[in-house]
Amino acid sequence: MNKIRATLTAAVVAGTAAVTVVGGTGPAAAAAAPVALGPGAYVPINGVGDVAVDPVRKRVLVTDATTSSLNSLSYFGGVQKTVAAGWNAGAVTLSPDYSTVYVASPDEHKITAFDAATLSTKRTYDLGGEVWTRHLAFTSGKIWFAYDGGMGSLDPATGETTLYDLDNDAWVDPLLITAKGAPGTLVVANAWRYSVGNGDLFVYDVSSGEAVLKTKGRFGDGTLRDAALTPDGSTLIGFGNECPIWKAPVTDPEKRTTIYDNGICRPDSIDINDDGRVAIGYGNTNGATDLAVFTPGSQAPAEQYTTDPGEEIWWPAWEPGGNRLFGVGNLGKDWRFHAVHGSAPVRSTITISAPAIAAPGRPVQVTGKVSQPGARVELIVDANAPTDVFHADTAVANASGQFTLTDTRPETGTYTYTVVYAGTDTIAPASARTSITAQNTPELTLRPNNTVSNYGATVTVTAHLGKTFTNRAVQIWADPYGSEPARLLRWTNVDAKGNLTASLKLTRTTAVQVKFLGDNLYAATSARSVLNTRAAVSLLPSRQYKAAKIGSVPYRFYRRNVHPYFLTTMTPYPGRKQRLTLEVYSGGKWKAWRVLYLPLNAAGKSAFTLTGTHAVGAKYRARAGYVTTSSGDTVNYTNYSPYYYFTFTK
């Protein structure tokens, strides 16, 4: 490849070209009310180097310097294809016939040509180790590139490059500006705000394939951040570090005048449509206008758009020869795509589910459903480092739209998982997000468990905590069944063996829970045990005339004309009933005779009188009981009184 070092010796062309008036200076029309763009489509990239629009294939091309990639997005923001584009991939432009995409890789000192239809590599052009390409433009049959301290041209057919020295070596990241209606005009501007030459501007005639300097000047007071040319190439519209937008004739940039002094501050970028409409992206994060569109001849914005608070629109991009307008911006590390103008897509949705805690080094599954059956979905992981956003897994949804994605995080930490459906040319992309914390879960046990104790018993529970990082404290809570709230028994560090004990007196079945609140490396966890507690039950018969044994069994003896009286005492609880069971001995077996559920009073008392005709000589027995659920509640464990045996005599 031949490289030619050229010195610009052409004389500056005197005179000033006619200026197309893009914005009037008369009374401003009323500005359009802002319209909310909504959250936009999530784009799974780490950053944006440059943006270009391919109107033939209806694609928006975005470079990502962090991943050194070229991404092809649908007109609705879904990433349809991603290819490697060279280290620190940045500037991107298309050939005039839209058949080839050119991407600059400054750190590799090259430009790569891609087939626009397939994004396959067609050719790579080496520019030499001194060229760190920043911006690209295609005009007059050549690719023009700007680099720190200079600019150059590349003949895509032969690969021959020509480098041109600028007269200010302090130029960093210079702009290249062209206009579709002025193919022979190339503007080079120093837009690096910290350079002593910020605002310097050179205009070249490149119609011959060589750069001939026509004029040089300075953009006003020297503050220039971004600029664009009107469609006919006669007028430069741009801005510096303040609020107003300026216009200036290309042939005499020092004659700038305010064009859009609309009070909207922090402009970030500018793009001008073929019909003269100007789109300005703003760095507002406070709910003010994020994107404004101005029509020729009006000072007031014809359209204003806002995004989510905190989001900035860094790149407005018009569709060449069309009406569509796109906006690419970010909210923190989230990069978002807005289809501002254009047809409405078919909407799609994604819902996902995932565990909140996962063990490091073990697979975690994210399941979900997408509204498009058979759709390909992708799992994106953000490890919450500055640029640590990467693809983890892909899956194809089944006929019901359901899918499962899997990832393994080897280290502890909190990770953001985003599931992305890229959509199609007619279906909008969709995304859903969740956070998963990868932490070890320590061993935590509590004993005893599922025991049965008498009413009033005192029980000691022991919690055991295994290995943790810094936190060695646990909480032991007691939650008696019923309406009473749980109470904290102990909250302190475990002993050297990892144990902590607590004692409690039982009156109801009680759930005991031990809690570990977690630390930097170990997740919060808990363990639970249930201490079943019997209700206290006693039965006291009365009105018998004597007590004696029949065989070895003690009996109470009643006259047949006396009605036995049974008094039950039980642990009281609202709505509680005793179960009184009366059995008769018949055919050599005890058989149920009467089963009664009788309410207790507030003191836990319940009385029953056995009336009717009593058979002389028959053997009976009775007992009172509390039966979980059947007695009206579940706060105690089932318990019975002893049987009391009785019979009747004359």
Side-chain angles (χ1 to χ4, degrees):
M1 180 184 299
N2 296 320
K3 296 184 179 179
I4 303 173
R5 172 70 63 179
T7 304
L8 301 184
T9 57
V12 175
V13 177
T16 302
V19 176
T20 300
V21 179
V22 178
T25 58
V35 175
L37 286 175
Y42 169 78
V43 184
I45 56 178
N46 287 292
V48 175
D50 199 6
V51 177
V53 180
D54 179 356
V56 174
R57 292 154 199 89
K58 300 188 184 309
R59 292 288 183 265
V60 179
L61 303 169
V62 177
T63 55
D64 180 353
T66 303
T67 59
S68 301
S69 63
L70 171 65
N71 301 272
S72 176
L73 280 61
S74 74
Y75 268 7
F76 305 123
V79 179
Q80 304 296 317
K81 192 168 187 178
T82 299
V83 296
W87 191 19
N88 200 24
V92 58
T93 193
L94 288 123
S95 59
D97 62 0
Y98 302 106
S99 65
T100 306
V101 180
Y102 297 95
V103 177
S105 173
D107 291 1
E108 294 184 0
H109 316 288
K110 69 181 183 181
I111 295 174
T112 303
F114 297 90
D115 181 273
T118 64
L119 293 191
S120 59
T121 301
K122 296 171 67 174
R123 186 171 178 178
T124 299
Y125 303 95
D126 182 12
L127 305 179
E130 63 187 289
V131 177
W132 301 70
T133 309
R134 304 302 182 187
H135 292 274
L136 298 177
F138 200 122
T139 187
S140 300
K142 288 188 176 182
I143 304 166
W144 298 85
F145 53 89
Y147 60 94
D148 297 346
M151 76 163 190
S153 67
L154 166 67
D155 186 332
T158 65
E160 182 178 294
T161 60
T162 304
L163 301 181
Y164 298 89
D165 286 328
L166 302 175
D167 63 355
N168 188 342
D169 290 337
W171 282 35
V172 176
D173 197 16
L175 295 176
L176 282 185
I177 308 170
T178 59
K180 188 175 182 179
T185 298
L186 179 68
V187 178
V188 184
N190 186 348
W192 191 48
R193 61 186 301 184
Y194 302 107
S195 169
V196 294
N198 179 251
D200 288 350
L201 187 145
F202 296 170
V203 181
Y204 297 95
D205 180 356
V206 296
S207 57
S208 65
E210 299 294 330
V212 179
L213 182 63
K214 294 173 60 178
T215 184
K216 66 168 66 175
R218 192 162 175 78
F219 194 74
D221 60 4
T223 60
L224 177 63
R225 292 182 60 193
D226 197 12
L229 282 170
T230 55
D232 63 359
S234 66
T235 304
L236 188 74
I237 299 177
F239 52 84
N241 298 323
E242 304 301 330
C243 297
I245 312 297
W246 306 95
K247 68 173 182 178
V250 166
T251 53
D252 194 355
E254 294 187 14
K255 293 183 178 179
R256 71 173 190 177
T257 56
T258 299
I259 185 171
Y260 303 131
D261 189 11
N262 55 6
I264 306 175
C265 295
R266 295 197 64 193
D268 274 334
S269 54
I270 182 171
D271 195 29
I272 302 178
N273 195 16
D274 294 343
D275 60 10
R277 283 178 294 172
V278 178
I280 305 288
Y282 293 91
N284 293 316
T285 58
N286 58 358
T289 298
D290 295 293
L291 181 65
V293 177
F294 299 85
T295 56
S298 175
Q299 282 272 20
E303 302 168 49
Q304 295 189 86
Y305 300 93
T306 59
T307 57
D308 286 353
E311 181 180 354
E312 299 180 52
I313 297 291
W314 291 96
W315 283 272
W318 291 101
E319 177 188 45
N323 185 51
R324 297 175 187 266
L325 174 63
F326 309 100
V328 180
N330 74 299
L331 178 59
K333 290 199 300 180
D334 278 358
W335 289 92
R336 298 178 174 185
F337 180 94
H338 298 276
V340 183
H341 292 167
S343 58
V346 175
R347 298 296 173 186
S348 57
T349 59
I350 289 181
T351 57
I352 60 174
S353 177
I357 302 293
R362 295 186 179 180
V364 59
Q365 288 189 337
V366 179
T367 61
K369 185 174 183 180
V370 61
S371 57
Q372 304 298 321
R376 181 180 180 273
V377 293
E378 191 163 10
L379 183 64
I380 309 298
V381 182
D382 182 352
N384 296 317
T387 59
D388 198 3
V389 178
F390 49 88
H391 303 256
D393 194 17
T394 58
V396 176
N398 64 18
S400 299
Q402 297 174 329
F403 58 84
T404 299
L405 297 156
T406 304
D407 181 52
T408 300
R409 294 292 96 219
E411 298 178 354
T412 59
T414 298
Y415 301 90
T416 300
Y417 284 80
T418 305
V419 177
V420 179
Y421 165 53
T424 67
D425 288 344
T426 57
I427 301 174
S431 63
R433 174 171 293 178
T434 189
S435 292
I436 298 176
T437 299
Q439 284 184 307
N440 295 292
T441 300
E443 175 193 6
L444 185 63
T445 59
L446 184 66
R447 66 179 196 276
N449 180 36
N450 204 27
T451 57
V452 179
S453 301
N454 289 329
Y455 178 88
T458 297
V459 175
T460 298
V461 295
T462 301
H464 177 76
L465 177 65
K467 181 182 178 181
T468 60
F469 182 52
T470 56
N471 185 10
R472 299 298 293 165
V474 296
Q475 301 175 353
I476 300 178
W477 291 80
D479 186 8
Y481 282 22
S483 58
E484 292 181 11
R487 66 184 187 276
L488 180 64
L489 300 180
R490 295 194 72 184
W491 184 3
T492 188
N493 288 340
V494 297
D495 63 20
K497 295 181 179 180
N499 297 326
L500 182 68
T501 62
S503 297
L504 65 160
K505 185 176 182 179
L506 299 175
T507 58
R508 299 178 191 166
T509 294
T510 301
V512 180
Q513 187 176 43
V514 56
K515 299 180 181 180
F516 171 68
L517 301 184
D519 55 31
N520 289 342
L521 298 182
Y522 287 81
T525 188
S526 63
R528 184 176 183 269
S529 68
V530 175
L531 305 179
N532 296 290
T533 306
R534 297 185 180 98
V537 181
S538 67
L539 177 63
L540 180 62
S542 61
R543 297 180 181 173
Q544 68 273 15
Y545 72 89
K546 74 171 183 177
K549 290 183 179 181
I550 299 177
S552 61
V553 179
Y555 271 78
R556 284 167 172 76
F557 289 82
Y558 294 87
R559 302 295 183 186
R560 67 178 180 181
N561 60 349
V562 174
H563 300 315
Y565 181 82
F566 300 93
L567 178 64
T568 299
T569 303
M570 189 182 295
T571 306
Y573 192 78
R576 178 169 287 183
K577 300 182 289 290
Q578 67 144 326
R579 173 175 171 164
L580 184 64
T581 303
L582 300 170
E583 297 179 353
V584 62
Y585 194 76
S586 175
K589 295 181 179 180
W590 287 104
K591 298 179 180 179
W593 176 38
R594 299 179 68 179
V595 178
L596 307 169
Y597 282 92
L598 304 172
L600 304 176
N601 63 18
K605 306 290 186 179
S606 176
F608 174 73
T609 301
L610 180 61
T611 60
T613 302
H614 308 306
V616 174
K619 296 177 180 178
Y620 300 91
R621 68 180 183 179
R623 72 171 178 176
Y626 165 82
V627 181
T628 302
T629 304
S630 298
S631 289
D633 61 78
T634 59
V635 303
N636 281 106
Y637 193 80
T638 297
N639 194 24
Y640 295 95
S641 72
Y643 277 108
Y644 289 90
Y645 294 81
F646 62 97
T647 187
F648 294 92
T649 63
K650 291 183 180 180

